[in-house]
């Protein structure tokens, strides 16, 4: 009897010491995933990639849609902790305000993986790794393409280039970083001026609404639209057309994500360039989950490889797009 009690105590000590690494003894790994919402084509593709990859990897997925509300994500994470999942992964709605709930996950010895978007916290031990794009670099790529685009270079040779900016969700990592990267490049090109900048919340409807306001305020002064995602750009295209202007010609448009809708807009001559931000993170995430549960060392930051697609390559690239 004493030996049995000793073995139970030893097993408990091992679980406490090594945490999730012992979860491999279970039939299936359980992953709790909290998604931002379904605000765009990109997000829909990201969700599908995660669901498909979990099924293929034999991982039980507990999925929660936050509907773009941080409080919903915090509730979901607390629910995952209560259910004792093996790993928690989430795409944070905004960067700040996560430390209390992430400390709860750490106390419960449940490792956390950030996907797509980062968080801002003093204690970086609250998550194991961050998988996603380099949003600052995406902003840089959009600006680099813009300053090298021949029609815009001609405008800059004659005078100032007036840019309006549709930002993503206020406080979100992509909105902060895509703005930062874009402005970083423009510092070296003083003729390029951002004359209006406002959030379009990453949605087509809001992108259209804000672009309508930009056009009322600035009219034909606008030379360029920089949108933090394709969905807002597509909404803005409607507003530009309704104002009697030609998107892609009267107003040069560069956006980020490289969803199919953007390629369709480019093929129609209404969008000039899209910078890729791949949503197909599912397979990489499931591989990470397995490594973390197995107790393997993983990189703190994993960046996805992506490209830049100007209008002239749209027709050729369109058949290859998976989202």
């Amino acid at each position: 009897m004493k030996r049995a009690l000793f073995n139970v105590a030893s097993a408990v000590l091992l679980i406490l010491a090594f945490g999730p690494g012992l979860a491999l003894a279970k039939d299936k790994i359980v992953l709790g995933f909290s998604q931002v919402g379904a605000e765009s084509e990109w997000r829909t593709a990201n969700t599908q990639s995660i669901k498909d990859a979990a099924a293929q990897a034999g991982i039980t997925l507990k999925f929660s849609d936050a509907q773009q509300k941080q409080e919903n994500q915090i509730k979901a994470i607390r629910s995952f902790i209560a259910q004792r999942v093996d790993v928690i992964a989430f795409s944070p709605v905004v960067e700040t305000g996560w430390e209390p709930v992430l400390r709860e996950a750490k106390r419960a010895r449940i490792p956390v993986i950030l996907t797509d978007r980062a968080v801002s916290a003093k204690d970086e031990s609250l998550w194991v790794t961050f998988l996603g794009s380099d949003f600052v670099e995406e902003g840089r790529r959009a600006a680099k393409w813009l300053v090298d685009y021949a029609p815009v270079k001609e405008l800059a040779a004659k005078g100032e280039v007036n840019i309006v900016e549709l930002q993503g969700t206020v406080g979100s990592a992509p909105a902060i970083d895509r703005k930062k990267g874009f402005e970083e490049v423009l510092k070296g090109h003083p003729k390029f001026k951002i004359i209006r900048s406002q959030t379009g919340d990453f949605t087509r409807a809001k992108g259209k609404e804000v672009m309508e306001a930009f056009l009322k305020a600035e009219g034909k002064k606008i030379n360029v639209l920089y949108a933090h995602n394709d969905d807002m750009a597509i909404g803005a295209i409607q507003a530009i057309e309704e104002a009697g202007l030609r998107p892609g010609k009267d107003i040069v448009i560069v956006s980020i994500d490289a969803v199919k809708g953007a390629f369709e807009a480019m093929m129609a001559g209404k969008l000039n360039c899209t910078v890729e931000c791949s949503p197909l993170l599912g397979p990489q995430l499931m591989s990470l989950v397995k490594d973390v549960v197995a107790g393997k060392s993983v990189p703190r930051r994993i960046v996805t490889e992506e490209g830049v697609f100007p209008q002239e390559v749209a027709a050729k690239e369109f058949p290859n797009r998976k989202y």
Side-chain angles (χ1 to χ4, degrees), residues 13 17 303:
L13 286 171
V303 180

Side-chain angles (χ1 to χ4, degrees), residues 79-121:
S79 173
F80 296 149
I81 293 168
Q83 293 175 68
R84 299 295 305 168
V85 300
D86 297 310
V87 179
I88 292 169
F90 75 111
S91 270
V93 176
V94 294
E95 282 195 341
T96 57
W98 300 104
E99 290 192 56
V101 73
L102 292 183
R103 282 195 204 100
E104 291 171 31
K106 188 176 181 180
R107 282 196 295 270
R109 295 182 175 272
I110 300 173
V112 173
I113 297 173
L114 304 178
T115 72
D116 172 44
R117 300 179 178 185
V119 301
S120 177

Side-chain angles (χ1 to χ4, degrees), residues 196-213:
R196 295 269 171 172
S197 183
Q198 190 176 324
T199 181
D201 214 23
F202 285 129
T203 68
R204 289 192 190 195
K206 191 73 174 176
K208 182 176 187 284
E209 179 188 318
V210 176
M211 191 66 203
E212 285 169 349

Side-chain angles (χ1 to χ4, degrees), residues 125-175:
S125 72
L126 296 175
W127 63 91
V128 178
T129 184
F130 167 37
L131 163 67
S133 303
D134 184 335
F135 299 134
V136 176
E137 180 58 26
E138 289 169 357
R140 289 191 197 110
R141 288 173 179 174
K144 285 174 184 173
W145 173 84
L146 181 64
V147 298
D148 287 335
Y149 184 51
V152 174
K153 284 174 86 171
E154 287 175 22
L155 271 177
K158 296 172 187 175
E160 291 186 343
V161 176
N162 294 320
I163 303 165
V164 293
E165 177 183 32
L166 283 170
Q167 295 184 48
T169 303
V170 174
S172 69

Side-chain angles (χ1 to χ4, degrees), residues 2-109:
K2 285 181 181 178
R3 183 183 291 268
L5 288 171
F6 176 79
N7 287 340
V8 169
S10 299
V12 169
L13 286 171
L14 281 169
I15 290 167
L16 290 173
F18 298 103
L22 294 180
L24 285 177
K26 294 181 182 180
D27 291 335
K28 271 192 173 186
I29 295 168
V30 179
L31 168 66
F33 186 87
S34 175
Q35 180 62 284
V36 173
E39 77 279 11
S40 62
E41 280 187 60
W42 191 99
R43 192 63 56 189
T44 303
N46 180 239
T47 292
Q48 196 59 51
S49 175
I50 288 161
K51 288 181 175 178
D52 291 347
Q56 288 165 12
I59 290 172
T60 299
L61 179 68
K62 293 184 180 293
F63 184 89
S64 176
D65 182 335
Q67 298 177 325
Q68 291 182 279
K69 293 179 181 177
Q70 185 178 29
E71 58 268 31
N72 290 345
Q73 286 200 302
I74 291 170
K75 284 178 189 173
I77 292 168
R78 287 193 170 126
S79 173
F80 296 149
I81 293 168
Q83 293 175 68
R84 299 295 305 168
V85 300
D86 297 310
V87 179
I88 292 169
F90 75 111
S91 270
V93 176
V94 294
E95 282 195 341
T96 57
W98 300 104
E99 290 192 56
V101 73
L102 292 183
R103 282 195 204 100
E104 291 171 31
K106 188 176 181 180
R107 282 196 295 270
R109 295 182 175 272

